[in-house]
Amino acid sequence: MPCADPPLEALRERVLEAADRAAPLEIVGGGSKRFYGREPQGEPLSTVALTGIVRYQPSELFVTVRAGTPLAQLEATLAAEGQMLAFEPPHFGPGATVGGMVAAGLAGPRRPWTGAVRDHLLGVRVLDGSGRLLHFGGEVMKNVAGYDLFRPMAGALGTLGVLVEVTLKLSPVPACTRTRALPLNPDEARSAMGRLWGGAEPVTATWYDGETLYVRLAGEEPAVARGERRLGGEALPETTTLWRDLREHRLPWFREPGPLWRLSVPPAAPAIRLPGDWGVEWAGAQRWLRSPAEAGAVRHAAAAVGGHATLFRGGARKGEVFHPLDPALLTLHQRLKAVFDPKGIFNPGRLYTQL
Amino acid sequence: MLTDTKDKLPPSTGTPAERLAALRDELAGWLPGEALVTRPETLRAYECDGLPAYRRVPGLVALPSTAEEVARILAAARWHRVPVIARGAGTGLSGGALPDPDGLLLSLARLNRILEIDPDNRTARVQPGVRNLAISEAAAPHGLYYAPDPSSQIACSIGGNVAENAGGVHCLKYGLTVNNVVGLRMVTPCGEILTLGSEALDAPGYDLLALLHGSEGMLGVIVEITVRLLPRPESVAVLLAAFDTIPAAAEAVAAIIGAGIVPAGLEMMDNPAIRAAEDFVHAGYPVEAAAIVLVELDGTPEAVDAAAERVAALLREHGSAQVRLARDPDQRARLWAGRKSAFPAVGRISPDYYCMDGTIPRHRLAEVLAEIARLSKDFGLPVANVFHAGDGNLHPLILYDAARDGELEKAERFGARILELCVAVGGTITGEHGVGVEKLDSMCVQFAPAELECFHAVKRAFDPDGLLNPGKAVPTLHRCAELGAMHVHDGRLPHADLPRF
Ligand SMILES: Cc1cc2nc3c(=O)[nH]c(=O)nc-3n(C[C@H](O)[C@H](O)[C@H](O)COP(=O)(O)OP(=O)(O)OC[C@H]3O[C@@H](n4cnc5c(N)ncnc54)[C@H](O)[C@@H]3O)c2cc1C
């Protein structure tokens, strides 16, 4: 390391000491996504001392930031320069950190049109289970030197190491953003979403709650205005908080009790016959389901249309939360985990029972 | 199963040549005759890829037609402990598909079918030997296309694109191969077929789909790929601007990005490249200019009009006396013609050229080009620069004559210095062409031993017997130690104060 970095050194010591005892560690940022994945276990290892924006030069379209930095702080800094994280990450709580956001790998309403967290991740520094600080990727848009070991950190839920620093690609905030609301029945909504997915209008989000299809358009004003004319429906005020509330699961739809499933399916997949309430995002590719159905039935139904199902929130966390992997793929996962975390100390069991 | 299969392998017996002969006999037992190449004249056709400075005649070539055949071949090769080198179209520029005289070259060229176009989900499911451009052609009737467009797109295979994580002119806006592939099927070295990714927007577990991108045939053989298709933009505009100095052109590029505009393409050429291209295709490029910048904008007509106006103003503000705008397809093709033929154009003015592929932070562009010009004088070898300015991906073309004693080695040393420079300013030794055999030494500059160890461990996780494309992409720690190369830490060379470039 070029300079002394006391918070990092402290983390490294904890990791080495835990590895020595083979004692599990729960990596915690703001704790905002502790509800996600299987039950956390292990002694908490906090990343919140690793804060700060390391490098940010707006015209370079990237930012390098320490993992414990509050996501809200990063977003405010970017907004002041007219930039944003195009994958529109959910916070799920005021304390959300940048590292937690990458580890959870969750993206918001804009995802189908701009890509996921992994599509905007350019590089990481990660502390592995042997206390090595590893640097993969970098700060440039194109980089194929060495295997891509940075993108797989997104969504690994901390099971491969402690993210210390991440570099993210940035996008300009669109000049103009507007929302239309169209009252449609489920069949009409499905074909409308299909047309939007295949079409050229500058759509950046859709939400269907069973009664109304909401569509967000963003870009240059004339292009947005044309999209509005073609879509019809009613305009929502530009100040609407609909999309933020959707992203944060604060809409009334999400407040109903019961386990919440997330079905990730091909956008044009047919309607899935399962009892319960459906809320559909991502032009049909992300379907939320509140249902009393058995886990096996939900998984089977998602797989039958080429997708997978996650017990997102409010369900039993002792069994598998994420869609089970086939055995050969699971073996490969275990081997990859062993490369970074030979003692199995990082967030054991958070992603899968055997990881 | 992946686990413990190692135990079932018989102990290695015989010389590499004997093992290869045993594999040949076994494959001859069930592969159709024309799918197995053993005649020396025919084997020679596979001796190199797009980097002809490295050549080796393969011991054996197999051309399977199905994924199941690929799986069976891999299982057999593993049984006989024969290394396997996958090959797509052989257009790679880093020697990734360089054969092994004691190995099997596995050509995917016959797996060349487009299996399905799904316009509703905007995906295409294809075999790995399908040419990049063929996907867009097949999708065109649906108003769709496949965005990543390497200059080699009429020839290169989609499997090779995945294995190299290929880029292209339109990657600035639409991403690299990794951002446009949603799923793939790969064969493990044991001959098992795995599915990674899905037709949904994500898949459970680790993102092994990303890990396979750019893995250069070292982790698995890709036998099927599902790509995302995009709706054809309704409207496209191309602007060409000439500049008197390179720094002015670089500033203009930064200004466009800084203004929040995301062009579909943003390319730059320096004077030697402009002249070579103009001599070759007569695109009407301004041959006196120090640099030209090409900007492509796409989207709805309304959005393109608005953006074109803003870009033209920015280009003028930053000193371009000459800005041309093309809207119709013919005019646009003309403006692009020079850029698209830049490599062959340079090939006409020099007996040989060596194409480099470093990426740098965009704001270091002018400085790095000045340094390359200085190195060019030192080495006495001219350079023409063509690059993806929008994302900082440089392609310096070093002109040399292989017939002259020592000139290839000189060109390679010059190239290595350029890559060292890219790392020193915070960039990387390869943006899209891969490491192959060509940049093994430069890897020692970019990565510390700990990361290299990780790469080797990941390789072992996928390929415990080390039979897939051995020796490529990741140098041994021993090699780096021998080389005595300095790993550049945090974009800072040790003793950065010493004059070096
Ligand atoms: C004139 C010219 C212009 C070029 N322009 C560009 C450009 O703009 N952008 C760019 O990115 N590249 C460019 N390239 C480089 C090259 O075309 C790309 O790297 C391309 O992706 C290689 O594809 P291929 O099918 O020829 O692969 P090959 O050269 O056959 O193989 C490349 C590597 O991939 C592995 N491989 C191939 N197929 C498979 C498979 N099915 N499974 C596993 N591994 C496999 C091989 O083992 C090898 O390591 C250019 C090359 C030329 C000659």
Side-chain angles (χ1 to χ4, degrees), chain B residues 49-50 85-93 95-97 108 128 149-152 155-169 216-218 220-223 339 343-344 353 388 395 432-433 469 472:
Chain B
D49 59 9
I85 292 92
R87 177 183 166 110
T91 69
L93 292 173
L108 283 310
D149 54 346
S151 311
S152 50
C156 63
S157 75
I158 185 72
N161 289 173
V162 172
E164 299 285 10
N165 192 14
V169 164
E216 302 196 23
M218 312 262 297
V221 174
I222 297 148
V223 289
R339 166 64 185 89
F343 288 13
Y353 69 88
H388 309 299
H395 291 316
E432 56 184 21
H433 295 167
N469 216 2
K472 309 275 176 67

Tab-separated table of all heavy atoms in Angstrom, chain B residues 49-50 85-93 95-97 108 128 149-152 155-169 216-218 220-223 339 343-344 353 388 395 432-433 469 472, ligand 1:
chain	number	residue	atom	x	y	z
B	49	ASP	N	-3.431	-16.643	-35.928
B	49	ASP	CA	-4.680	-15.874	-36.003
B	49	ASP	C	-4.370	-14.529	-36.659
B	49	ASP	O	-3.563	-14.470	-37.585
B	49	ASP	CB	-5.335	-15.767	-34.616
B	49	ASP	CG	-4.446	-15.101	-33.573
B	49	ASP	OD1	-3.383	-14.558	-33.937
B	49	ASP	OD2	-4.809	-15.110	-32.384
B	50	GLY	N	-4.965	-13.449	-36.185
B	50	GLY	CA	-4.746	-12.142	-36.792
B	50	GLY	C	-3.437	-11.485	-36.375
B	50	GLY	O	-3.187	-10.322	-36.702
B	85	ILE	N	-7.153	-25.839	-27.869
B	85	ILE	CA	-7.190	-24.404	-28.156
B	85	ILE	C	-8.419	-24.139	-29.013
B	85	ILE	O	-8.525	-24.626	-30.141
B	85	ILE	CB	-5.912	-23.947	-28.902
B	85	ILE	CG1	-4.699	-24.037	-27.983
B	85	ILE	CG2	-6.036	-22.504	-29.371
B	85	ILE	CD1	-3.947	-25.313	-28.048
B	86	ALA	N	-9.355	-23.370	-28.455
B	86	ALA	CA	-10.560	-23.036	-29.218
B	86	ALA	C	-10.213	-21.957	-30.228
B	86	ALA	O	-9.371	-21.096	-29.985
B	86	ALA	CB	-11.658	-22.553	-28.280
B	87	ARG	N	-10.884	-22.021	-31.362
B	87	ARG	CA	-10.689	-21.007	-32.389
B	87	ARG	C	-12.027	-20.651	-33.017
B	87	ARG	O	-12.821	-21.532	-33.348
B	87	ARG	CB	-9.733	-21.529	-33.457
B	87	ARG	CG	-9.530	-20.556	-34.622
B	87	ARG	CD	-8.633	-21.201	-35.669
B	87	ARG	NE	-8.662	-20.494	-36.914
B	87	ARG	CZ	-7.631	-19.775	-37.395
B	87	ARG	NH1	-6.503	-19.708	-36.718
B	87	ARG	NH2	-7.733	-19.152	-38.543
B	88	GLY	N	-12.282	-19.360	-33.135
B	88	GLY	CA	-13.486	-18.904	-33.819
B	88	GLY	C	-13.120	-18.649	-35.273
B	88	GLY	O	-12.844	-19.574	-36.030
B	89	ALA	N	-13.043	-17.371	-35.645
B	89	ALA	CA	-12.706	-17.027	-37.022
B	89	ALA	C	-11.220	-16.738	-37.187
B	89	ALA	O	-10.757	-16.477	-38.298
B	89	ALA	CB	-13.528	-15.826	-37.460
B	90	GLY	N	-10.486	-16.738	-36.074
B	90	GLY	CA	-9.044	-16.496	-36.179
B	90	GLY	C	-8.680	-15.064	-36.525
B	90	GLY	O	-7.635	-14.815	-37.114
B	91	THR	N	-9.526	-14.108	-36.153
B	91	THR	CA	-9.190	-12.701	-36.401
B	91	THR	C	-8.572	-12.026	-35.182
B	91	THR	O	-8.274	-10.837	-35.210
B	91	THR	CB	-10.424	-11.873	-36.812
B	91	THR	OG1	-11.302	-11.766	-35.683
B	91	THR	CG2	-11.165	-12.498	-37.973
B	92	GLY	N	-8.420	-12.772	-34.089
B	92	GLY	CA	-7.873	-12.208	-32.857
B	92	GLY	C	-6.516	-11.561	-33.098
B	92	GLY	O	-5.742	-12.028	-33.936
B	93	LEU	N	-6.238	-10.482	-32.367
B	93	LEU	CA	-5.020	-9.720	-32.626
B	93	LEU	C	-3.970	-9.909	-31.537
B	93	LEU	O	-2.998	-9.175	-31.485
B	93	LEU	CB	-5.364	-8.225	-32.778
B	93	LEU	CG	-6.172	-7.872	-34.034
B	93	LEU	CD1	-6.605	-6.411	-34.005
B	93	LEU	CD2	-5.351	-8.163	-35.292
B	95	GLY	N	-2.946	-13.276	-30.524
B	95	GLY	CA	-2.416	-14.645	-30.534
B	95	GLY	C	-3.150	-15.590	-29.597
B	95	GLY	O	-2.610	-16.625	-29.225
B	96	GLY	N	-4.379	-15.250	-29.241
B	96	GLY	CA	-5.148	-16.093	-28.325
B	96	GLY	C	-5.432	-17.472	-28.905
B	96	GLY	O	-5.498	-18.459	-28.181
B	97	ALA	N	-5.587	-17.551	-30.222
B	97	ALA	CA	-5.899	-18.836	-30.860
B	97	ALA	C	-4.637	-19.472	-31.457
B	97	ALA	O	-4.725	-20.359	-32.299
B	97	ALA	CB	-6.970	-18.645	-31.930
B	108	LEU	N	-14.584	-23.712	-34.032
B	108	LEU	CA	-16.036	-23.633	-33.837
B	108	LEU	C	-16.737	-23.142	-35.105
B	108	LEU	O	-17.926	-22.832	-35.084
B	108	LEU	CB	-16.343	-22.681	-32.667
B	108	LEU	CG	-16.148	-23.178	-31.230
B	108	LEU	CD1	-16.836	-24.531	-31.044
B	108	LEU	CD2	-14.722	-23.238	-30.800
B	128	PRO	N	-21.698	-20.384	-31.706
B	128	PRO	CA	-20.534	-19.506	-31.542
B	128	PRO	C	-19.832	-19.134	-32.838
B	128	PRO	O	-19.165	-18.107	-32.909
B	128	PRO	CB	-19.595	-20.329	-30.655
B	128	PRO	CG	-19.995	-21.750	-30.879
B	128	PRO	CD	-21.478	-21.698	-31.096
B	149	ASP	N	-19.983	-3.729	-32.538
B	149	ASP	CA	-19.576	-3.828	-33.938
B	149	ASP	C	-18.078	-3.659	-34.121
B	149	ASP	O	-17.607	-2.622	-34.575
B	149	ASP	CB	-20.319	-2.765	-34.759
B	149	ASP	CG	-20.127	-1.356	-34.190
B	149	ASP	OD1	-19.657	-1.229	-33.045
B	149	ASP	OD2	-20.413	-0.382	-34.907
B	150	PRO	N	-17.293	-4.685	-33.756
B	150	PRO	CA	-15.853	-4.598	-34.008
B	150	PRO	C	-15.606	-4.353	-35.499
B	150	PRO	O	-16.414	-4.775	-36.329
B	150	PRO	CB	-15.310	-5.968	-33.586
B	150	PRO	CG	-16.481	-6.843	-33.346
B	150	PRO	CD	-17.683	-5.973	-33.166
B	151	SER	N	-14.510	-3.681	-35.820
B	151	SER	CA	-14.218	-3.400	-37.235
B	151	SER	C	-14.120	-4.683	-38.041
B	151	SER	O	-14.305	-4.673	-39.246
B	151	SER	CB	-12.899	-2.646	-37.364
B	151	SER	OG	-12.870	-1.576	-36.475
B	152	SER	N	-13.839	-5.779	-37.358
B	152	SER	CA	-13.702	-7.076	-38.039
B	152	SER	C	-15.048	-7.782	-38.175
B	152	SER	O	-15.091	-8.981	-38.433
B	152	SER	CB	-12.762	-7.956	-37.229
B	152	SER	OG	-13.160	-7.972	-35.864
B	155	ALA	N	-16.099	-10.708	-40.410
B	155	ALA	CA	-15.378	-11.981	-40.327
B	155	ALA	C	-15.413	-12.619	-38.947
B	155	ALA	O	-15.534	-13.840	-38.830
B	155	ALA	CB	-13.922	-11.765	-40.744
B	156	CYS	N	-15.305	-11.830	-37.876
B	156	CYS	CA	-15.092	-12.433	-36.561
B	156	CYS	C	-16.353	-13.156	-36.076
B	156	CYS	O	-17.463	-12.825	-36.456
B	156	CYS	CB	-14.643	-11.385	-35.550
B	156	CYS	SG	-15.842	-10.093	-35.223
B	157	SER	N	-16.151	-14.153	-35.213
B	157	SER	CA	-17.281	-14.951	-34.729
B	157	SER	C	-17.786	-14.399	-33.412
B	157	SER	O	-17.034	-13.794	-32.647
B	157	SER	CB	-16.851	-16.412	-34.554
B	157	SER	OG	-16.058	-16.557	-33.392
B	158	ILE	N	-19.051	-14.648	-33.134
B	158	ILE	CA	-19.630	-14.158	-31.889
B	158	ILE	C	-18.995	-14.879	-30.696
B	158	ILE	O	-18.790	-14.293	-29.630
B	158	ILE	CB	-21.178	-14.254	-31.906
B	158	ILE	CG1	-21.795	-13.631	-30.665
B	158	ILE	CG2	-21.650	-15.682	-32.085
B	158	ILE	CD1	-21.729	-12.132	-30.605
B	159	GLY	N	-18.619	-16.143	-30.872
B	159	GLY	CA	-17.927	-16.859	-29.795
B	159	GLY	C	-16.591	-16.196	-29.477
B	159	GLY	O	-16.231	-16.008	-28.319
B	160	GLY	N	-15.864	-15.817	-30.525
B	160	GLY	CA	-14.603	-15.095	-30.337
B	160	GLY	C	-14.847	-13.741	-29.680
B	160	GLY	O	-14.060	-13.278	-28.847
B	161	ASN	N	-15.951	-13.092	-30.027
B	161	ASN	CA	-16.299	-11.802	-29.406
B	161	ASN	C	-16.496	-11.960	-27.901
B	161	ASN	O	-16.051	-11.124	-27.114
B	161	ASN	CB	-17.589	-11.230	-30.001
B	161	ASN	CG	-17.452	-10.734	-31.432
B	161	ASN	OD1	-18.442	-10.367	-32.055
B	161	ASN	ND2	-16.246	-10.714	-31.970
B	162	VAL	N	-17.185	-13.032	-27.511
B	162	VAL	CA	-17.392	-13.263	-26.084
B	162	VAL	C	-16.045	-13.561	-25.411
B	162	VAL	O	-15.706	-12.994	-24.372
B	162	VAL	CB	-18.381	-14.427	-25.837
B	162	VAL	CG1	-18.446	-14.788	-24.361
B	162	VAL	CG2	-19.768	-14.062	-26.352
B	163	ALA	N	-15.259	-14.437	-26.051
B	163	ALA	CA	-13.986	-14.848	-25.457
B	163	ALA	C	-13.019	-13.677	-25.309
B	163	ALA	O	-12.127	-13.697	-24.462
B	163	ALA	CB	-13.360	-15.960	-26.286
B	164	GLU	N	-13.181	-12.637	-26.148
B	164	GLU	CA	-12.307	-11.464	-26.041
B	164	GLU	C	-13.023	-10.259	-25.429
B	164	GLU	O	-12.422	-9.211	-25.246
B	164	GLU	CB	-11.793	-11.058	-27.429
B	164	GLU	CG	-10.965	-12.111	-28.157
B	164	GLU	CD	-9.562	-12.264	-27.598
B	164	GLU	OE1	-9.269	-11.709	-26.529
B	164	GLU	OE2	-8.761	-12.968	-28.243
B	165	ASN	N	-14.313	-10.373	-25.156
B	165	ASN	CA	-15.131	-9.217	-24.781
B	165	ASN	C	-14.908	-8.062	-25.762
B	165	ASN	O	-14.522	-6.947	-25.383
B	165	ASN	CB	-14.857	-8.768	-23.341
B	165	ASN	CG	-15.905	-7.773	-22.844
B	165	ASN	OD1	-16.960	-7.612	-23.458
B	165	ASN	ND2	-15.612	-7.097	-21.755
B	166	ALA	N	-15.168	-8.353	-27.017
B	166	ALA	CA	-14.872	-7.400	-28.085
B	166	ALA	C	-15.676	-6.110	-27.946
B	166	ALA	O	-16.789	-6.101	-27.425
B	166	ALA	CB	-15.176	-8.049	-29.444
B	167	GLY	N	-15.073	-5.057	-28.432
B	167	GLY	CA	-15.729	-3.754	-28.467
B	167	GLY	C	-15.883	-3.306	-29.902
B	167	GLY	O	-15.550	-4.036	-30.842
B	168	GLY	N	-16.392	-2.118	-30.075
B	168	GLY	CA	-16.548	-1.561	-31.413
B	168	GLY	C	-16.868	-0.083	-31.305
B	168	GLY	O	-16.930	0.459	-30.205
B	169	VAL	N	-17.070	0.516	-32.459
B	169	VAL	CA	-17.307	1.954	-32.494
B	169	VAL	C	-18.514	2.353	-31.638
B	169	VAL	O	-18.516	3.395	-30.986
B	169	VAL	CB	-17.514	2.379	-33.967
B	169	VAL	CG1	-18.151	3.750	-34.048
B	169	VAL	CG2	-16.185	2.370	-34.701
B	216	GLU	N	-10.775	-15.687	-23.007
B	216	GLU	CA	-9.803	-16.125	-24.011
B	216	GLU	C	-9.681	-17.647	-24.150
B	216	GLU	O	-8.583	-18.181	-24.315
B	216	GLU	CB	-8.430	-15.493	-23.726
B	216	GLU	CG	-8.489	-13.960	-23.705
B	216	GLU	CD	-7.129	-13.277	-23.810
B	216	GLU	OE1	-6.191	-13.900	-24.311
B	216	GLU	OE2	-7.022	-12.113	-23.386
B	217	GLY	N	-10.795	-18.324	-24.043
B	217	GLY	CA	-10.778	-19.770	-24.255
B	217	GLY	C	-10.078	-20.557	-23.168
B	217	GLY	O	-9.724	-21.717	-23.363
B	218	MET	N	-9.906	-19.930	-21.986
B	218	MET	CA	-9.154	-20.570	-20.898
B	218	MET	C	-10.057	-21.241	-19.862
B	218	MET	O	-9.594	-22.024	-19.046
B	218	MET	CB	-8.324	-19.529	-20.142
B	218	MET	CG	-7.517	-18.613	-21.013
B	218	MET	SD	-5.828	-19.148	-21.147
B	218	MET	CE	-5.296	-18.992	-19.456
B	220	GLY	N	-13.584	-22.283	-20.504
B	220	GLY	CA	-14.621	-23.159	-21.049
B	220	GLY	C	-14.765	-22.874	-22.526
B	220	GLY	O	-14.290	-21.841	-23.006
B	221	VAL	N	-15.406	-23.783	-23.245
B	221	VAL	CA	-15.647	-23.553	-24.665
B	221	VAL	C	-17.112	-23.155	-24.832
B	221	VAL	O	-18.018	-23.868	-24.388
B	221	VAL	CB	-15.313	-24.799	-25.502
B	221	VAL	CG1	-15.702	-24.584	-26.962
B	221	VAL	CG2	-13.828	-25.115	-25.393
B	222	ILE	N	-17.316	-22.009	-25.443
B	222	ILE	CA	-18.660	-21.464	-25.575
B	222	ILE	C	-19.330	-22.093	-26.782
B	222	ILE	O	-18.800	-22.045	-27.893
B	222	ILE	CB	-18.581	-19.934	-25.711
B	222	ILE	CG1	-17.971	-19.362	-24.421
B	222	ILE	CG2	-19.948	-19.334	-25.975
B	222	ILE	CD1	-17.171	-18.125	-24.648
B	223	VAL	N	-20.503	-22.688	-26.553
B	223	VAL	CA	-21.164	-23.397	-27.649
B	223	VAL	C	-22.508	-22.787	-28.039
B	223	VAL	O	-23.119	-23.199	-29.026
B	223	VAL	CB	-21.348	-24.901	-27.333
B	223	VAL	CG1	-20.005	-25.602	-27.376
B	223	VAL	CG2	-22.029	-25.109	-25.998
B	339	ARG	N	-12.361	6.041	-41.639
B	339	ARG	CA	-12.098	5.459	-40.333
B	339	ARG	C	-12.167	3.931	-40.399
B	339	ARG	O	-11.336	3.232	-39.838
B	339	ARG	CB	-13.107	5.992	-39.316
B	339	ARG	CG	-13.180	5.245	-37.992
B	339	ARG	CD	-11.873	5.343	-37.206
B	339	ARG	NE	-11.877	4.536	-35.984
B	339	ARG	CZ	-11.498	3.262	-35.917
B	339	ARG	NH1	-11.091	2.634	-37.006
B	339	ARG	NH2	-11.523	2.614	-34.766
B	343	PHE	N	-7.138	0.607	-40.867
B	343	PHE	CA	-6.090	-0.412	-40.692
B	343	PHE	C	-5.530	-0.855	-42.049
B	343	PHE	O	-4.329	-0.781	-42.276
B	343	PHE	CB	-6.604	-1.618	-39.889
B	343	PHE	CG	-6.829	-1.354	-38.424
B	343	PHE	CD1	-6.855	-0.076	-37.907
B	343	PHE	CD2	-7.024	-2.416	-37.543
B	343	PHE	CE1	-7.084	0.164	-36.557
B	343	PHE	CE2	-7.240	-2.192	-36.194
B	343	PHE	CZ	-7.280	-0.909	-35.698
B	344	PRO	N	-6.420	-1.309	-42.962
B	344	PRO	CA	-5.870	-1.680	-44.274
B	344	PRO	C	-5.180	-0.519	-44.973
B	344	PRO	O	-4.208	-0.735	-45.696
B	344	PRO	CB	-7.097	-2.150	-45.075
B	344	PRO	CG	-8.286	-1.859	-44.244
B	344	PRO	CD	-7.841	-1.652	-42.852
B	353	TYR	N	2.468	-3.584	-40.064
B	353	TYR	CA	2.169	-2.692	-38.943
B	353	TYR	C	1.753	-3.526	-37.740
B	353	TYR	O	1.296	-4.658	-37.884
B	353	TYR	CB	1.101	-1.648	-39.308
B	353	TYR	CG	-0.284	-2.209	-39.507
B	353	TYR	CD1	-1.148	-2.348	-38.419
B	353	TYR	CD2	-0.757	-2.554	-40.760
B	353	TYR	CE1	-2.428	-2.858	-38.590
B	353	TYR	CE2	-2.027	-3.057	-40.942
B	353	TYR	CZ	-2.857	-3.215	-39.849
B	353	TYR	OH	-4.113	-3.717	-40.010
B	388	HIS	N	-10.722	5.005	-30.412
B	388	HIS	CA	-12.058	5.193	-29.865
B	388	HIS	C	-11.905	6.278	-28.795
B	388	HIS	O	-11.717	5.983	-27.617
B	388	HIS	CB	-12.570	3.898	-29.256
B	388	HIS	CG	-12.461	2.709	-30.175
B	388	HIS	ND1	-13.104	2.650	-31.387
B	388	HIS	CD2	-11.791	1.536	-30.061
B	388	HIS	CE1	-12.845	1.498	-31.986
B	388	HIS	NE2	-12.045	0.800	-31.196
B	395	HIS	N	-5.517	2.953	-30.510
B	395	HIS	CA	-4.926	1.940	-31.384
B	395	HIS	C	-3.755	2.549	-32.140
B	395	HIS	O	-3.865	2.836	-33.333
B	395	HIS	CB	-5.948	1.394	-32.386
B	395	HIS	CG	-7.024	0.560	-31.772
B	395	HIS	ND1	-6.775	-0.389	-30.817
B	395	HIS	CD2	-8.356	0.516	-32.002
B	395	HIS	CE1	-7.915	-0.972	-30.482
B	395	HIS	NE2	-8.888	-0.433	-31.175
B	432	GLU	N	-9.597	-4.126	-25.767
B	432	GLU	CA	-10.526	-5.031	-26.439
B	432	GLU	C	-9.863	-6.185	-27.182
B	432	GLU	O	-10.550	-7.121	-27.557
B	432	GLU	CB	-11.434	-4.239	-27.409
B	432	GLU	CG	-10.664	-3.430	-28.445
B	432	GLU	CD	-11.549	-2.580	-29.347
B	432	GLU	OE1	-12.689	-2.288	-28.958
B	432	GLU	OE2	-11.093	-2.210	-30.440
B	433	HIS	N	-8.558	-6.169	-27.380
B	433	HIS	CA	-7.936	-7.230	-28.177
B	433	HIS	C	-7.460	-8.418	-27.355
B	433	HIS	O	-7.110	-9.450	-27.893
B	433	HIS	CB	-6.780	-6.682	-29.010
B	433	HIS	CG	-7.222	-5.698	-30.054
B	433	HIS	ND1	-6.348	-4.893	-30.722
B	433	HIS	CD2	-8.457	-5.390	-30.525
B	433	HIS	CE1	-7.018	-4.119	-31.579
B	433	HIS	NE2	-8.305	-4.397	-31.462
B	469	ASN	N	-6.356	-23.991	-23.550
B	469	ASN	CA	-5.514	-22.875	-23.995
B	469	ASN	C	-4.389	-22.539	-23.007
B	469	ASN	O	-4.192	-21.380	-22.633
B	469	ASN	CB	-6.389	-21.639	-24.239
B	469	ASN	CG	-5.892	-20.829	-25.428
B	469	ASN	OD1	-4.927	-21.194	-26.092
B	469	ASN	ND2	-6.543	-19.707	-25.678
B	472	LYS	N	-1.739	-19.076	-22.073
B	472	LYS	CA	-2.162	-17.786	-22.622
B	472	LYS	C	-2.688	-16.860	-21.511
B	472	LYS	O	-2.994	-17.320	-20.411
B	472	LYS	CB	-3.295	-17.999	-23.633
B	472	LYS	CG	-3.027	-19.029	-24.706
B	472	LYS	CD	-2.272	-18.459	-25.879
B	472	LYS	CE	-1.913	-19.520	-26.919
B	472	LYS	NZ	-3.073	-20.092	-27.607
C	1	LIG	C1	-8.948	-5.843	-39.139
C	1	LIG	C2	-9.326	-6.190	-37.746
C	1	LIG	C3	-10.073	-5.286	-37.014
C	1	LIG	C4	-10.442	-5.584	-35.705
C	1	LIG	N1	-11.211	-4.691	-35.021
C	1	LIG	C5	-11.601	-4.981	-33.770
C	1	LIG	C6	-12.437	-4.081	-33.047
C	1	LIG	O1	-12.842	-3.045	-33.538
C	1	LIG	N2	-12.778	-4.405	-31.780
C	1	LIG	C7	-12.380	-5.568	-31.206
C	1	LIG	O2	-12.729	-5.801	-30.058
C	1	LIG	N3	-11.587	-6.430	-31.857
C	1	LIG	C8	-11.199	-6.184	-33.126
C	1	LIG	N4	-10.403	-7.077	-33.795
C	1	LIG	C9	-9.944	-8.300	-33.104
C	1	LIG	C10	-10.814	-9.556	-33.299
C	1	LIG	O3	-11.610	-9.463	-34.446
C	1	LIG	C11	-11.699	-9.801	-32.091
C	1	LIG	O4	-10.906	-10.080	-30.962
C	1	LIG	C12	-12.708	-10.947	-32.259
C	1	LIG	O5	-13.552	-10.977	-31.134
C	1	LIG	C13	-12.067	-12.292	-32.409
C	1	LIG	O6	-13.038	-13.216	-32.882
C	1	LIG	P1	-12.614	-14.536	-33.642
C	1	LIG	O7	-13.848	-15.307	-33.902
C	1	LIG	O8	-11.787	-14.224	-34.821
C	1	LIG	O9	-11.758	-15.258	-32.522
C	1	LIG	P2	-10.380	-16.030	-32.630
C	1	LIG	O10	-9.310	-15.127	-33.096
C	1	LIG	O11	-10.569	-17.288	-33.379
C	1	LIG	O12	-10.139	-16.387	-31.107
C	1	LIG	C14	-9.913	-15.370	-30.158
C	1	LIG	C15	-9.829	-15.978	-28.759
C	1	LIG	O13	-11.083	-16.509	-28.384
C	1	LIG	C16	-11.020	-17.888	-28.094
C	1	LIG	N5	-12.265	-18.452	-28.624
C	1	LIG	C17	-12.770	-18.313	-29.859
C	1	LIG	N6	-13.966	-18.908	-29.943
C	1	LIG	C18	-14.233	-19.443	-28.731
C	1	LIG	C19	-15.317	-20.182	-28.171
C	1	LIG	N7	-16.394	-20.501	-28.896
C	1	LIG	N8	-15.235	-20.571	-26.883
C	1	LIG	C20	-14.165	-20.260	-26.131
C	1	LIG	N9	-13.126	-19.561	-26.605
C	1	LIG	C21	-13.151	-19.155	-27.886
C	1	LIG	C22	-9.744	-18.355	-28.751
C	1	LIG	O14	-9.200	-19.447	-28.060
C	1	LIG	C23	-8.867	-17.134	-28.634
C	1	LIG	O15	-8.277	-17.090	-27.372
C	1	LIG	C24	-10.020	-6.806	-35.103
C	1	LIG	C25	-9.268	-7.704	-35.857
C	1	LIG	C26	-8.920	-7.416	-37.154
C	1	LIG	C27	-8.129	-8.423	-37.905
